[in-house]
């Protein structure tokens, strides 16, 4: 089994504060030992209609502005700030990554030349953006498949095959909900993705929005090489994603348990292991 790579999905859990964003990166690397710290980038005027931009947030208690657009702008970092975050990640030795939601954001983040760019489930049918990335960005492209039909996933994979970029593609099983009850996680879809696309793409991943960490271990045993979880410093903070996120100790335990699972998922090197020899001599039934 390949060692699982863990993405600490910070998203917008930094509350628009660069100090909090850097603290999240530092804790993810030093305390949690995650592999990737990931953010999000949106051009809200491009992504939202005028009506969506000027409509109040559907849950005012989580809003950072009088309208949904103002809320999103408050949480948005500039391209220059993302460059600063990338440099901070590199100084600490953790991979920087970002999900991009529109073409402008894709171009801004691609200019930073990160190792990977993520396409959220909501945008995996934005073929103008996907095509630009396939033609102009050389790193890995990771794509989630929440709220996506099987025919749409087929089309997505074939698109990257046609672009000659399928071997740079990581495809994630995902259910889009916050949080997702266990019966809707549908982990066996990982097996379906592996069977249908395992020889076409670089890897299969799992992006979870559930509670706890047991499900992620199961996802890994089914073949998910990348595990992505939302991550925050405090699940009680204001914002939509905090309640479905892991706090630092949860993320640390997830990394620890994935490492343990990776070591355990092996065949015996010989019929009776060295550790069993003493017990065999002492306990094995003799006629």
């Amino acid at each position: 089994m390949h060692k699982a790579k863990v993405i600490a999905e910070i998203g917008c859990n930094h509350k628009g504060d660069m100090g909090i964003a850097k603290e999240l990166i530092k804790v993810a690397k030093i305390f949690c030992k995650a592999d990737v710290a990931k953010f999000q980038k949106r051009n809200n005027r491009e992504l939202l209609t005028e009506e969506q931009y000027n409509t109040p947030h559907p849950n005012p208690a989580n809003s950072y502005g009088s309208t949904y657009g103002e809320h999103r702008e408050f949480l948005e970092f500039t391209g220059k700030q993302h460059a600063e975050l990338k440099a901070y990640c590199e100084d600490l030795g953790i991979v920087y990554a970002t999900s991009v939601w529109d073409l402008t954001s894709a171009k801004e983040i691609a200019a930073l030349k990160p190792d990977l760019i993520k396409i959220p489930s909501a945008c995996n049918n934005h073929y103008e953006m996907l095509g630009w990335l396939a033609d102009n960005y050389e790193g890995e492209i990771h794509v989630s498949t929440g709220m996506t039909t099987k025919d749409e996933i087929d089309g997505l994979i074939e698109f990257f095959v046609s672009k000659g970029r399928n071997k740079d593609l990581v495809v994630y099983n995902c259910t889009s909900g916050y949080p997702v009850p266990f019966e809707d996680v549908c982990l066996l879809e990982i097996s379906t993705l592996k069977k249908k696309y395992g020889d076409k793409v670089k890897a299969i991943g799992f992006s979870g929005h559930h509670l706890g960490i047991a499900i992620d271990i199961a996802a890994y045993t089914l073949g998910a090489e990348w595990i992505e979880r939302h991550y925050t410093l405090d699940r009680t903070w204001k914002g939509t994603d905090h309640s479905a996120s892991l706090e630092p100790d949860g993320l640390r335990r997830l990394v620890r348990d994935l490492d343990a699972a990776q070591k355990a998922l092996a065949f015996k090197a010989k019929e009776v292991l060295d550790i069993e020899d003493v017990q065999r001599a002492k306990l094995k039934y003799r006629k």
Side-chain angles (χ1 to χ4, degrees):
M1 294 287 288
H2 294 284
K3 183 180 184 297
K5 295 178 182 178
V6 177
I7 298 177
E9 162 65 304
I10 295 167
C12 298
N13 282 349
H14 48 69
K15 303 197 293 183
D17 186 313
M18 282 290 284
I20 293 175
K22 289 182 176 180
E23 182 68 13
L24 281 158
I25 293 170
K26 183 169 68 174
V27 172
K29 168 60 181 178
I30 296 173
F31 179 69
C32 306
K33 296 181 170 54
D35 300 286
V36 180
K38 187 170 80 66
F39 294 88
Q40 296 183 16
K41 186 78 176 80
R42 294 172 172 86
N43 182 310
N44 294 300
R45 286 294 184 183
E46 179 177 338
L47 183 63
L48 302 172
T49 66
E50 193 69 22
E51 182 181 2
Q52 289 171 328
Y53 194 97
N54 292 312
T55 297
H57 192 291
N59 186 344
N62 284 327
S63 184
Y64 287 91
S66 60
T67 67
Y68 186 70
E70 289 180 4
H71 162 76
R72 291 254 51 103
E73 300 289 12
F74 184 90
L75 295 173
E76 199 63 47
F77 288 145
T78 65
K80 184 177 179 180
Q81 287 174 308
H82 275 276
E84 183 179 341
L85 292 171
K86 181 174 183 284
Y88 188 73
C89 285
E90 290 168 349
D91 286 344
L92 287 177
I94 188 171
V95 173
Y96 159 91
T98 298
S99 291
V100 295
W101 289 68
D102 54 82
L103 182 56
T104 298
S105 297
K107 291 179 178 179
E108 284 187 284
I109 297 302
L112 301 178
K113 298 183 178 180
D115 291 348
L116 69 94
I117 286 177
K118 181 82 185 295
I119 308 299
S121 297
C123 304
N124 64 20
N125 60 342
H126 189 336
Y127 280 97
E128 182 184 8
M129 178 175 70
L130 297 178
W132 188 92
L133 285 169
D135 292 339
N136 297 279
Y137 169 66
E138 296 181 354
E140 291 181 2
I141 299 173
H142 293 216
V143 185
S144 276
T145 59
M147 48 187 170
T148 305
T149 69
K150 287 179 167 53
D151 284 346
E152 287 171 338
I153 298 173
D154 283 341
L156 178 68
I157 304 302
E158 290 309 312
F159 175 79
F160 281 96
V161 170
S162 73
K163 289 287 188 178
R165 295 300 309 276
N166 50 298
K167 288 300 183 180
D168 296 316
L169 189 65
V170 178
V171 181
Y172 288 71
N173 176 45
C174 177
T175 298
S176 298
Y178 305 89
V180 175
F182 296 137
E183 59 269 24
D184 289 334
V185 174
C186 303
L187 281 184
L188 292 180
E189 294 297 332
I190 294 171
S191 300
T192 300
L193 291 174
K194 283 186 67 67
K195 182 178 180 180
K196 291 183 71 174
Y197 312 119
D199 61 344
K200 290 185 177 181
V201 303
K202 185 165 188 176
I204 302 300
F206 172 66
S207 179
H209 303 131
H210 52 282
L211 301 179
I213 60 175
I215 300 301
D216 307 274
I217 308 305
Y220 173 63
T221 64
L222 288 169
E225 296 180 33
W226 291 81
I227 304 293
E228 177 185 66
R229 291 297 306 273
H230 282 266
Y231 153 68
T232 183
L233 296 179
D234 187 338
R235 294 179 68 244
T236 68
W237 276 350
K238 184 171 92 171
T240 305
D241 290 345
H242 295 285
S243 63
S245 300
L246 295 176
E247 290 182 340
D249 194 53
L251 186 62
R252 179 191 66 82
R253 290 169 183 264
L254 172 59
V255 174
R256 177 201 66 189
D257 291 354
L258 285 167
D259 286 346
Q262 191 256 339
K263 292 172 183 174
L265 285 166
F267 295 103
K268 282 192 170 185
K270 57 182 183 178
E271 290 187 353
V272 178
L273 297 175
D274 292 346
I275 195 172
E276 296 178 300
D277 282 339
V278 173
Q279 307 306 323
R280 181 180 174 87
K282 181 172 66 174
L283 301 174
K284 196 73 173 180
Y285 172 74
R286 294 178 180 82
K287 293 181 181 180

